[in-house]
Amino acid sequence: MIIELTDRASAQIKEMMKEEPEESLLRFGVKGGGCSGLSYSLGFADEVNEELDIVETINDIPIVFFNQDIPIIEGTKIDYKENMMGGGFSIDNPNAIISCGCGSSFRTAKNAGAPGDC
């Protein structure tokens, strides 16, 4: 398993998927940017590039990963937390050695990315 989804995260994603077309998949990966150089990308996709992507089903949720992102995100745990201000996903990546203060960008020992606006 590339990543782990908690029960709360899985329930929230399944609820969100009800608003998406039936063939939609979750896409999780990284992109350049943020204060620390890399940012997480979490959203829905309806296309898979069989040469560049891998699809894995986790907790009955089909998730698409860009092959090159796997070493950066492998072992990541995604949770969903609610508080009085609302709710949001929290991402715990064991490969991240530096995270910015806002918590939305990070860097790994082998991947620094390109810092941008946080």
Side-chain angles (χ1 to χ4, degrees):
M1 185 177 331
I2 297 170
I3 64 167
E4 177 186 348
L5 295 176
T6 66
D7 291 340
R8 288 184 302 252
S10 296
Q12 181 63 30
I13 292 165
K14 288 176 183 176
E15 192 63 32
M16 293 168 66
M17 289 183 90
K18 291 178 183 177
E19 304 295 321
E20 298 295 321
E22 191 172 319
E23 64 277 355
S24 292
L25 306 106
L26 183 70
R27 181 176 282 278
F28 178 65
V30 296
K31 59 185 179 182
C35 323
S36 298
L38 297 171
S39 296
Y40 296 106
S41 175
L42 182 65
F44 295 103
D46 55 4
E47 293 183 15
V48 175
N49 183 323
E50 299 203 9
E51 291 180 22
L52 302 175
D53 295 327
I54 185 168
V55 178
E56 186 172 287
T57 301
I58 301 171
N59 298 352
D60 298 320
I61 300 169
I63 306 174
V64 182
F65 303 95
F66 183 48
N67 281 326
Q68 291 182 335
D69 290 348
I70 293 172
I72 300 170
I73 59 172
E74 195 162 25
T76 295
K77 180 178 180 179
I78 300 176
D79 194 8
Y80 184 80
K81 298 180 181 181
E82 290 192 42
N83 60 35
M84 294 181 67
M85 301 292 287
F89 290 99
S90 67
I91 300 173
D92 180 20
N93 183 344
N95 303 304
I97 59 169
I98 295 174
S99 293
C100 71
C102 64
S104 65
S105 72
F106 67 101
R107 183 180 330 172
T108 68
K110 294 182 180 180
N111 300 89
D117 294 333
C118 199

